[in-house]
Amino acid sequence: MKIFVTNTFLRAAKKLHRNQVTKLEEAIQKIKTNPDIGEAKIGDLAGIKVYKFHMLHQLILLAYLYNEKRNEITLVSFGSHVNFYKNLKKQPIN
């Protein structure tokens, strides 16, 4: 399975501390083993799935796209719930 990463995801990941990166990698591994683990979104965000996990006692949302035909996952963005969906709608997604 191939995993692609958007620039938005990379910029946010660079700001994390080492222990936060470990939690993020665990979440990505769970998505990789079971791509349907995330909640599918509807409406403006149709096609995007969001996986929720805890990082340092805070709920974090990780948005990704899963292309079943190509067996690819594109990590779109992650962050806390505050303005997450609003910012996700503004982001160009290919």
Side-chain angles (χ1 to χ4, degrees):
M1 174 168 307
K2 294 182 181 178
I3 295 183
F4 297 100
V5 180
T6 62
N7 287 335
T8 304
F9 188 92
L10 280 177
R11 279 193 300 267
K14 283 182 180 179
K15 297 176 184 177
L16 296 177
H17 296 285
R18 188 174 305 266
N19 57 347
Q20 293 172 318
V21 171
T22 304
K23 290 290 186 183
L24 181 62
E25 288 174 349
E26 289 173 7
I28 293 170
Q29 190 61 35
K30 286 182 183 180
I31 292 170
K32 188 175 178 180
T33 57
N34 183 9
D36 295 322
I37 197 169
E39 179 183 339
K41 295 296 160 190
I42 57 174
D44 292 346
L45 298 175
I48 292 180
K49 294 186 179 199
V50 174
Y51 175 66
K52 299 177 182 180
F53 66 100
H54 289 277
M55 180 187 297
L56 300 178
H57 307 294
Q58 184 176 12
L59 183 66
I60 302 294
L61 285 66
L62 193 155
Y64 65 98
L65 297 166
Y66 175 54
N67 187 336
E68 198 170 350
K69 293 178 183 175
R70 294 183 178 175
N71 201 23
E72 296 175 345
I73 294 175
T74 303
L75 302 173
V76 179
S77 181
F78 72 94
S80 63
H81 197 282
V82 178
N83 294 330
F84 181 77
Y85 293 109
K86 181 180 173 183
N87 295 337
L88 195 58
K89 286 181 184 180
K90 291 180 183 179
Q91 184 178 345
I93 301 168
N94 296 334

